[in-house]
Amino acid sequence: MPHIHRLSDLLVNQIAAGEVVERPASVLKEVLENAVDAGARAIEVQLEQGGVRRIRVADDGCGIARDELALALERHATSKITTLDDLEHVGTMGFRGEALAAIAAVARTSITSRAEGASHAWRIEAGREPEPAALDHGTVVDVADLYYNTPARRKFLKTESTEFAHCDDMFRRVALARPDIGLQLAHNGRVIHRLPPSPPAARVAALMGDDFLQHAREVQADAGILRLAGFASLPAYSRASRDAQYFFVNGRFVRDKLLAHAVREAYADILHGARHPAYVLFLELDPAGVDVNVHPAKIEVRFRESRAVHQFVFHAVRRTLAESGAGRAAEVSAPAATEIGRASCRERV
Ligand code: ADP
Ligand code: MG
């Protein structure tokens, strides 16, 4: 029998990277979400070769102090939660403290950052001491040569254009969720998106097209503890695939069968089964009512009161479509969200 031994930190991080860093787009997701959590008002993304050669994200957020730079690259180190109670009320995109460590284990990673009030910036690479650097404010995370040291993973990468398309979609999700933040995306030196801070409808139009917005109805439903906002397409704007469906829960893009089903049901009477609606929907509820700690990439969530959430979303979308005259004049009853319990809806910061 082989002896049991502890794995090295690097190998542990490389194993974790298998879950967190599936492809360049997952790196982009983590680094973008960190910028959002840092309170950035402007974020600039530069990609090279579909993000495989380089992903560079610059933000004007709060920055990281010199003495915490090394910790930022360590596994299980985070500024976002401290206790189990915090974990159950997560208000930030990140909280697991593992993304940067995982990324740094499979790509040449550096962080340059200037904390608020610091006299200058510092730059760090994994395993090195911070060095003085030049940066006006905020943070620049530079991730180069993804999987340079893990050739087996590199083989799973697709073509440059496919990897870029995944990065673009990831960028769109963050940009849809946060119209208040100015965002720019460039690929191989060419600017693809330049999005100034805007009202939600303008941001949706910029990313989904004016055509979508013209053929969509605004969804606005408020049951006190559950709120749904956004836009849902009229049947005339249906699509052959699900490529234009964005659902956010407390600002987080999610792929959730329950939510997707609730929306599909709302269209059941008015849309042919082979066609798919387009939508951008934002569900807000008390963070205690939803568990985001289900999957390392946090793309799946679990609702405490899933039936009530389903009913609420279904009725909200169906009512919107019925009011627009799109559906048969269906009887629409009031949302049954009162089932959801004591929790009150907290304002998002
Ligand atoms: P998590 O986001 O789950 O905390 P990460 O590994 O993504 O874990 O980041 C570790 C820590 O590094 C964060 O908690 C945060 O304090 C800091 N950090 C990372 N990126 C930034 C950034 N762009 N601006 C400020 N702080 C950052
Ligand atoms: Mg993070």
Side-chain angles (χ1 to χ4, degrees), residues 197-216:
S198 10
R203 180 60 64 86
V204 167
L207 291 164
M208 303 281 290
D210 289 328
D211 210 35
F212 164 74
L213 209 58
Q214 277 160 21
H215 294 93

mmCIF file of all heavy atoms in Angstrom, residues 197-216:
data_model
loop_
_atom_site.group_PDB
_atom_site.id
_atom_site.type_symbol
_atom_site.label_atom_id
_atom_site.label_comp_id
_atom_site.label_asym_id
_atom_site.label_seq_id
_atom_site.Cartn_x
_atom_site.Cartn_y
_atom_site.Cartn_z
ATOM 1 N N PRO A 197 -21.759 54.096 -17.669
ATOM 2 C CA PRO A 197 -22.812 53.843 -16.681
ATOM 3 C C PRO A 197 -24.145 54.332 -17.242
ATOM 4 O O PRO A 197 -24.196 55.418 -17.807
ATOM 5 C CB PRO A 197 -22.399 54.699 -15.469
ATOM 6 C CG PRO A 197 -20.973 55.031 -15.676
ATOM 7 C CD PRO A 197 -20.711 54.991 -17.146
ATOM 8 N N SER A 198 -25.202 53.531 -17.134
ATOM 9 C CA SER A 198 -26.478 53.935 -17.741
ATOM 10 C C SER A 198 -27.657 53.413 -16.935
ATOM 11 O O SER A 198 -27.494 52.511 -16.108
ATOM 12 C CB SER A 198 -26.596 53.420 -19.183
ATOM 13 O OG SER A 198 -25.587 52.521 -19.503
ATOM 14 N N PRO A 199 -28.859 53.929 -17.218
ATOM 15 C CA PRO A 199 -30.056 53.329 -16.626
ATOM 16 C C PRO A 199 -30.196 51.904 -17.139
ATOM 17 O O PRO A 199 -29.710 51.600 -18.241
ATOM 18 C CB PRO A 199 -31.202 54.206 -17.166
ATOM 19 C CG PRO A 199 -30.558 55.429 -17.721
ATOM 20 C CD PRO A 199 -29.162 55.060 -18.101
ATOM 21 N N PRO A 200 -30.855 51.022 -16.362
ATOM 22 C CA PRO A 200 -30.950 49.610 -16.738
ATOM 23 C C PRO A 200 -31.444 49.382 -18.172
ATOM 24 O O PRO A 200 -30.859 48.560 -18.899
ATOM 25 C CB PRO A 200 -31.943 49.054 -15.713
ATOM 26 C CG PRO A 200 -31.776 49.933 -14.518
ATOM 27 C CD PRO A 200 -31.465 51.297 -15.039
ATOM 28 N N ALA A 201 -32.482 50.097 -18.600
ATOM 29 C CA ALA A 201 -33.035 49.844 -19.938
ATOM 30 C C ALA A 201 -32.008 50.148 -21.031
ATOM 31 O O ALA A 201 -31.909 49.420 -22.024
ATOM 32 C CB ALA A 201 -34.300 50.668 -20.153
ATOM 33 N N ALA A 202 -31.227 51.206 -20.822
ATOM 34 C CA ALA A 202 -30.223 51.568 -21.830
ATOM 35 C C ALA A 202 -29.137 50.505 -21.894
ATOM 36 O O ALA A 202 -28.644 50.149 -22.974
ATOM 37 C CB ALA A 202 -29.619 52.930 -21.490
ATOM 38 N N ARG A 203 -28.757 49.961 -20.740
ATOM 39 C CA ARG A 203 -27.731 48.912 -20.721
ATOM 40 C C ARG A 203 -28.264 47.649 -21.406
ATOM 41 O O ARG A 203 -27.556 47.003 -22.179
ATOM 42 C CB ARG A 203 -27.318 48.627 -19.263
ATOM 43 C CG ARG A 203 -26.253 47.565 -19.072
ATOM 44 C CD ARG A 203 -24.927 47.859 -19.757
ATOM 45 N NE ARG A 203 -24.178 49.005 -19.301
ATOM 46 C CZ ARG A 203 -23.306 49.048 -18.293
ATOM 47 N NH1 ARG A 203 -23.090 47.973 -17.588
ATOM 48 N NH2 ARG A 203 -22.664 50.154 -17.998
ATOM 49 N N VAL A 204 -29.527 47.318 -21.139
ATOM 50 C CA VAL A 204 -30.141 46.146 -21.782
ATOM 51 C C VAL A 204 -30.163 46.344 -23.292
ATOM 52 O O VAL A 204 -29.815 45.438 -24.057
ATOM 53 C CB VAL A 204 -31.567 45.904 -21.230
ATOM 54 C CG1 VAL A 204 -32.319 44.901 -22.094
ATOM 55 C CG2 VAL A 204 -31.499 45.388 -19.790
ATOM 56 N N ALA A 205 -30.525 47.544 -23.739
ATOM 57 C CA ALA A 205 -30.568 47.820 -25.181
ATOM 58 C C ALA A 205 -29.173 47.688 -25.785
ATOM 59 O O ALA A 205 -28.998 47.124 -26.870
ATOM 60 C CB ALA A 205 -31.134 49.208 -25.436
ATOM 61 N N ALA A 206 -28.170 48.183 -25.062
ATOM 62 C CA ALA A 206 -26.798 48.141 -25.592
ATOM 63 C C ALA A 206 -26.323 46.703 -25.775
ATOM 64 O O ALA A 206 -25.556 46.415 -26.697
ATOM 65 C CB ALA A 206 -25.859 48.902 -24.661
ATOM 66 N N LEU A 207 -26.769 45.797 -24.917
ATOM 67 C CA LEU A 207 -26.256 44.432 -24.950
ATOM 68 C C LEU A 207 -27.178 43.440 -25.652
ATOM 69 O O LEU A 207 -26.726 42.467 -26.253
ATOM 70 C CB LEU A 207 -25.959 43.953 -23.530
ATOM 71 C CG LEU A 207 -24.765 44.662 -22.884
ATOM 72 C CD1 LEU A 207 -24.754 44.450 -21.389
ATOM 73 C CD2 LEU A 207 -23.461 44.181 -23.494
ATOM 74 N N MET A 208 -28.489 43.685 -25.567
ATOM 75 C CA MET A 208 -29.448 42.740 -26.165
ATOM 76 C C MET A 208 -29.953 43.261 -27.507
ATOM 77 O O MET A 208 -30.622 42.525 -28.237
ATOM 78 C CB MET A 208 -30.646 42.531 -25.240
ATOM 79 C CG MET A 208 -30.296 42.049 -23.849
ATOM 80 S SD MET A 208 -29.952 40.288 -23.745
ATOM 81 C CE MET A 208 -31.575 39.586 -24.028
ATOM 82 N N GLY A 209 -29.706 44.525 -27.791
ATOM 83 C CA GLY A 209 -30.180 45.117 -29.038
ATOM 84 C C GLY A 209 -31.464 45.901 -28.837
ATOM 85 O O GLY A 209 -32.305 45.540 -28.015
ATOM 86 N N ASP A 210 -31.611 46.994 -29.598
ATOM 87 C CA ASP A 210 -32.834 47.805 -29.533
ATOM 88 C C ASP A 210 -34.049 46.965 -29.916
ATOM 89 O O ASP A 210 -35.145 47.145 -29.403
ATOM 90 C CB ASP A 210 -32.739 48.994 -30.499
ATOM 91 C CG ASP A 210 -31.726 50.015 -29.992
ATOM 92 O OD1 ASP A 210 -31.581 50.139 -28.761
ATOM 93 O OD2 ASP A 210 -31.074 50.660 -30.836
ATOM 94 N N ASP A 211 -33.805 46.049 -30.850
ATOM 95 C CA ASP A 211 -34.875 45.201 -31.339
ATOM 96 C C ASP A 211 -35.525 44.401 -30.215
ATOM 97 O O ASP A 211 -36.757 44.300 -30.138
ATOM 98 C CB ASP A 211 -34.267 44.239 -32.373
ATOM 99 C CG ASP A 211 -35.276 43.859 -33.413
ATOM 100 O OD1 ASP A 211 -36.102 44.728 -33.753
ATOM 101 O OD2 ASP A 211 -35.235 42.700 -33.870
ATOM 102 N N PHE A 212 -34.686 43.852 -29.362
ATOM 103 C CA PHE A 212 -35.209 43.103 -28.207
ATOM 104 C C PHE A 212 -36.078 44.007 -27.354
ATOM 105 O O PHE A 212 -37.209 43.659 -26.993
ATOM 106 C CB PHE A 212 -34.069 42.512 -27.374
ATOM 107 C CG PHE A 212 -34.506 42.064 -26.000
ATOM 108 C CD1 PHE A 212 -35.252 40.904 -25.835
ATOM 109 C CD2 PHE A 212 -34.193 42.815 -24.872
ATOM 110 C CE1 PHE A 212 -35.677 40.496 -24.581
ATOM 111 C CE2 PHE A 212 -34.610 42.412 -23.609
ATOM 112 C CZ PHE A 212 -35.353 41.255 -23.470
ATOM 113 N N LEU A 213 -35.552 45.185 -27.041
ATOM 114 C CA LEU A 213 -36.264 46.072 -26.127
ATOM 115 C C LEU A 213 -37.608 46.506 -26.717
ATOM 116 O O LEU A 213 -38.603 46.617 -26.003
ATOM 117 C CB LEU A 213 -35.396 47.295 -25.804
ATOM 118 C CG LEU A 213 -35.629 47.918 -24.434
ATOM 119 C CD1 LEU A 213 -35.410 46.910 -23.321
ATOM 120 C CD2 LEU A 213 -34.724 49.125 -24.238
ATOM 121 N N GLN A 214 -37.629 46.711 -28.030
ATOM 122 C CA GLN A 214 -38.883 47.114 -28.687
ATOM 123 C C GLN A 214 -39.914 45.995 -28.651
ATOM 124 O O GLN A 214 -41.112 46.255 -28.670
ATOM 125 C CB GLN A 214 -38.613 47.514 -30.137
ATOM 126 C CG GLN A 214 -38.137 48.961 -30.258
ATOM 127 C CD GLN A 214 -37.411 49.218 -31.568
ATOM 128 O OE1 GLN A 214 -37.594 48.459 -32.532
ATOM 129 N NE2 GLN A 214 -36.588 50.250 -31.600
ATOM 130 N N HIS A 215 -39.422 44.764 -28.619
ATOM 131 C CA HIS A 215 -40.352 43.627 -28.622
ATOM 132 C C HIS A 215 -40.414 42.961 -27.253
ATOM 133 O O HIS A 215 -40.675 41.763 -27.149
ATOM 134 C CB HIS A 215 -39.953 42.606 -29.689
ATOM 135 C CG HIS A 215 -40.086 43.141 -31.073
ATOM 136 N ND1 HIS A 215 -39.047 43.733 -31.746
ATOM 137 C CD2 HIS A 215 -41.161 43.220 -31.889
ATOM 138 C CE1 HIS A 215 -39.475 44.131 -32.934
ATOM 139 N NE2 HIS A 215 -40.734 43.836 -33.052
ATOM 140 N N ALA A 216 -40.140 43.737 -26.226
ATOM 141 C CA ALA A 216 -40.190 43.177 -24.873
ATOM 142 C C ALA A 216 -41.095 44.046 -24.003
ATOM 143 O O ALA A 216 -41.368 45.190 -24.329
ATOM 144 C CB ALA A 216 -38.785 43.126 -24.286
#
